[in-house]
Amino acid sequence: MYIIFVLIIQQVEGDLIYPRVVGDSIGLPSMWVLFAVTVGAGLMGIPGMLLGVPFLASIYKILKLDVRYRETLKANSANQEDTDHVKFLDSLRHHLLTNDEIDRL
């Protein structure tokens, strides 16, 4: 009976609690954390599990910034106002980030 209880607790922790805690700490939805760990394990085993979450978090952040940039451009094209946010995101496309720019992310 004790072994069944331990197995149930491990499944709940591994499938529900871990993705939510890790996802909240790195800004990635828990569904994507579980996806990254599963796909990483399937492709590269244990190293894939360790590298899958940071890799997917980086891609998620880049896509999120790009979507915000495009939405801001679309909104600004209607009223022709340019903001610092758009200038900053536009600058990301043309040069490497400085430490101050990384801090603002």
Side-chain angles (χ1 to χ4, degrees), residues 28 31-42 48-49 51-54 56-57:
L28 194 62
M31 177 189 75
W32 291 113
V33 173
L34 188 59
F35 176 79
V37 170
T38 304
V39 170
M49 292 172 70
L51 298 175
V53 174
L56 188 64

Side-chain angles (χ1 to χ4, degrees), residues 6-21:
V6 169
L7 290 174
I8 290 171
I9 294 297
Q10 281 184 327
Q11 289 300 314
V12 168
E13 189 267 335
D15 293 339
L16 300 176
I17 297 171
Y18 173 76
R20 184 172 303 272
V21 170

Side-chain angles (χ1 to χ4, degrees), residues 19-83:
R20 184 172 303 272
V21 170
V22 171
D24 289 344
S25 68
I26 61 173
L28 194 62
S30 58
M31 177 189 75
W32 291 113
V33 173
L34 188 59
F35 176 79
V37 170
T38 304
V39 170
L43 293 176
M44 296 178 11
I46 293 175
M49 292 172 70
L50 296 174
L51 298 175
V53 174
F55 178 73
L56 188 64
S58 300
I59 291 174
Y60 184 81
K61 181 73 171 182
I62 291 168
L63 290 175
K64 189 174 174 180
L65 283 173
D66 190 54
V67 167
R68 283 188 187 163
Y69 172 76
R70 290 171 188 254
E71 287 174 348
T72 307
L73 279 181
K74 187 176 181 182
N76 286 342
S77 66
N79 58 11
Q80 296 298 321
E81 293 179 10
D82 202 13
T83 63

